Amino acid sequence: MTLEEELQHHLAGLGAAQRLRSTHPLDGPDRAHPLRSGRPTLAFCSNDYLGLASHPALADAASAAAREYGFGAGSSRLISGESGLHASLERKLAAYTGFASSLLFPTGYQTNIGVITALAGPDDLIVSDAANHASIIDGCRLTRARIVVHAHADAEAAARALATPGPFKRRLLITESIFSMDGDRAPLRHLAEVARSAGALFIVDEAHALGVAGPQGRGVCSELGVHPTVLIGTLGKAFGSSGGFAACSPTLRSYLLNTARTFIFTTASPPPVVAASLAALELLTSPLGDALRDAAFQRSNRLRTRLARADQPIPGHDLILPWIIGADADALRLSAKLADAGLVVPAIRPPTVPEGTARLRITVSASHTERDLDRLAEKLLDSDNSP
């Protein structure tokens, strides 16, 4: 077969398995109430948990920075892409997460790849949760280290994996704090003790926790008093902006700056994006941030209560509600039915989630109204839509 024929054959196979994906543009600034093909819709799939992506403070900060600094950074930060905005954001993110320093990356994906590949190599052991994000999985694979995947959220299994015999130079334990597809939490206190006992580096990805969980949204680690070796954060979710960062010691920051390839060999984050992140951080630590977090959790609890009354328990907690269907085709069918009613809740299928657990991943935002939640609940609780 030619390459074109080979690719068409592969795509046809994905289609037959109900796993062919495509994009569907959503317009407008409000991630909870976007326009789809010019029609108002109601979306329950954004990670903009507090509605900051459309907050005027972020738009004003980005606009002012574009006028003062231009838009693109022009090069990597080690060449000429560094600005005072980058340094300021790093200092404030470090203080926000309780670390002495931090290093900013253009995306959260690049942050995980860069940190993991800088800290581990062929002579090392990495122990990773079975539900960790693709960026963690890819980072682990790129190291060529010995990788042991332990049962999800099982600290005892992690301890056994870390005890794997071998002349390893380093041992690393890596987990998310709030898992992106199940909405549940890792047993961070127990895992921290497991890592300490094994002499392992402890890396925690707080992507879905920062801005939302803990005091002033400082994350689950802050809430529990856990201090990992590296805390990974993203700015494209509750912050409403874009980017990622690694919070760590000054020595480790310097090491990452000199060894993390996804930091060294990429153009720096655009100054307007960095300015928007600074504005978001100011909002997150203000009374408004507390009000938005309270509103988001009130909305989430309301939806859970509505669904529980109909004997439809939802696993996880926080602002991610997985409505597990099972079969890929059934999840696609329900997603399409909701779309016809003006509700955007995409079907999540393998390999993003385990086989047989295709689902609607529902995310709740402070921007949703009670009427929005009730409308979704009514559609989900239709007898034809129950898992």
Side-chain angles (χ1 to χ4, degrees), residues 178-189:
I178 296 177
F179 291 92
S180 60
M181 289 297 122
D182 294 307
D184 57 343
R185 295 190 177 196
L188 288 186
R189 282 180 175 155

Side-chain angles (χ1 to χ4, degrees), residues 140-267:
C140 292
R141 290 172 175 171
L142 287 169
T143 67
R144 294 180 293 160
R146 170 74 181 276
I147 302 167
V148 179
V149 177
H150 69 82
H152 176 53
D154 187 335
E156 297 297 335
R160 291 192 296 272
L162 279 175
T164 300
F168 300 114
K169 178 183 176 183
R170 291 183 184 139
R171 296 172 190 257
L172 292 78
L173 178 58
I174 306 176
T175 186
E176 297 181 54
S177 59
I178 296 177
F179 291 92
S180 60
M181 289 297 122
D182 294 307
D184 57 343
R185 295 190 177 196
L188 288 186
R189 282 180 175 155
H190 197 173
L191 289 173
E193 177 57 28
V194 164
R196 187 198 65 77
S197 298
L201 306 184
F202 188 34
I203 300 174
V204 179
D205 185 343
E206 292 254 53
H208 291 274
L210 282 181
V212 174
Q216 293 189 308
R218 296 175 191 268
V220 180
C221 286
S222 177
E223 182 179 5
L224 298 179
V226 171
H227 197 80
T229 311
V230 184
L231 184 150
I232 305 294
T234 58
L235 306 172
K237 296 178 173 60
F239 277 69
S241 182
S242 182
F245 68 95
C248 53
S249 72
T251 301
L252 183 46
R253 179 191 183 276
S254 181
Y255 178 80
L256 292 173
L257 184 147
N258 283 277
T259 59
R261 294 171 66 84
T262 56
F263 172 85
I264 297 169
F265 300 105
T266 190
T267 300

Side-chain angles (χ1 to χ4, degrees), residues 21 74 83 105 109 119 153 161 163 178 189 217-218 220 254 260 298 310 325 336 343 345 367 377:
R21 291 162 169 81
S83 75
F105 291 73
Y109 206 107
L119 290 177
I178 296 177
R189 282 180 175 155
R218 296 175 191 268
V220 180
S254 181
Q298 287 173 8
I325 306 297
L343 300 168
V345 195
S367 298

Side-chain angles (χ1 to χ4, degrees), residues 4-376:
E4 190 73 14
E5 291 170 337
E6 184 180 336
L7 298 181
Q8 288 177 352
H9 178 74
H10 180 78
L11 293 172
L14 290 176
Q18 304 295 325
R19 292 181 183 174
L20 185 65
R21 291 162 169 81
S22 60
T23 58
H24 303 281
L26 297 176
D27 299 315
D30 189 338
R31 302 294 177 261
H33 305 90
L35 298 176
R36 189 169 188 172
S37 300
R39 295 174 50 201
T41 60
L42 175 58
F44 284 93
C45 50
S46 170
N47 296 322
D48 181 28
Y49 297 121
L50 304 181
L52 293 186
S54 58
H55 196 283
L58 273 67
D60 291 345
S63 177
R67 289 191 295 270
E68 182 175 354
Y69 295 90
F71 192 83
S75 77
S76 71
R77 289 176 61 192
L78 291 177
I79 304 298
S80 63
E82 176 90 3
S83 75
L85 291 174
H86 293 85
S88 177
L89 180 58
E90 287 180 338
R91 287 193 300 271
K92 293 183 177 182
L93 287 172
Y96 181 61
T97 53
F99 284 77
S101 63
S102 74
L103 186 65
L104 185 67
F105 291 73
T107 70
Y109 206 107
Q110 286 176 279
T111 308
N112 271 326
I113 296 288
V115 168
I116 296 169
T117 55
L119 290 177
D123 297 328
D124 301 315
L125 170 70
I126 299 177
V127 175
S128 178
D129 190 286
N132 275 342
H133 188 263
S135 58
I136 296 176
I137 295 171
D138 289 351
C140 292
R141 290 172 175 171
L142 287 169
T143 67
R144 294 180 293 160
R146 170 74 181 276
I147 302 167
V148 179
V149 177
H150 69 82
H152 176 53
D154 187 335
E156 297 297 335
R160 291 192 296 272
L162 279 175
T164 300
F168 300 114
K169 178 183 176 183
R170 291 183 184 139
R171 296 172 190 257
L172 292 78
L173 178 58
I174 306 176
T175 186
E176 297 181 54
S177 59
I178 296 177
F179 291 92
S180 60
M181 289 297 122
D182 294 307
D184 57 343
R185 295 190 177 196
L188 288 186
R189 282 180 175 155
H190 197 173
L191 289 173
E193 177 57 28
V194 164
R196 187 198 65 77
S197 298
L201 306 184
F202 188 34
I203 300 174
V204 179
D205 185 343
E206 292 254 53
H208 291 274
L210 282 181
V212 174
Q216 293 189 308
R218 296 175 191 268
V220 180
C221 286
S222 177
E223 182 179 5
L224 298 179
V226 171
H227 197 80
T229 311
V230 184
L231 184 150
I232 305 294
T234 58
L235 306 172
K237 296 178 173 60
F239 277 69
S241 182
S242 182
F245 68 95
C248 53
S249 72
T251 301
L252 183 46
R253 179 191 183 276
S254 181
Y255 178 80
L256 292 173
L257 184 147
N258 283 277
T259 59
R261 294 171 66 84
T262 56
F263 172 85
I264 297 169
F265 300 105
T266 190
T267 300
S269 298
V273 173
V274 178
S277 298
L278 281 164
L281 184 55
E282 186 172 343
L283 292 174
L284 288 170
T285 54
S286 72
L288 175 62
D290 291 332
L292 291 173
R293 280 184 285 274
D294 288 344
F297 280 104
Q298 287 173 8
R299 307 289 193 272
S300 177
N301 291 335
R302 180 183 179 89
L303 182 56
R304 288 180 187 279
T305 300
R306 280 292 311 272
L307 299 176
R309 285 175 183 163
D311 195 27
Q312 298 289 346
I314 300 293
H317 58 285
D318 293 306
L319 306 179
I320 301 171
L321 294 76
W323 186 260
I324 298 175
I325 306 297
D328 295 9
D330 291 340
L332 285 169
R333 191 177 303 112
L334 176 54
S335 178
K337 185 174 181 178
L338 293 175
D340 290 341
L343 300 168
V344 182
V345 195
I348 307 296
R349 294 156 285 160
T352 307
V353 294
E355 292 286 345
T357 67
R359 69 195 64 188
L360 303 185
R361 175 184 177 271
I362 302 164
T363 55
V364 179
S365 165
S367 298
H368 289 123
T369 67
E370 291 186 355
R371 183 175 180 181
D372 293 338
L373 302 170
D374 293 343
R375 182 178 166 193
L376 176 63

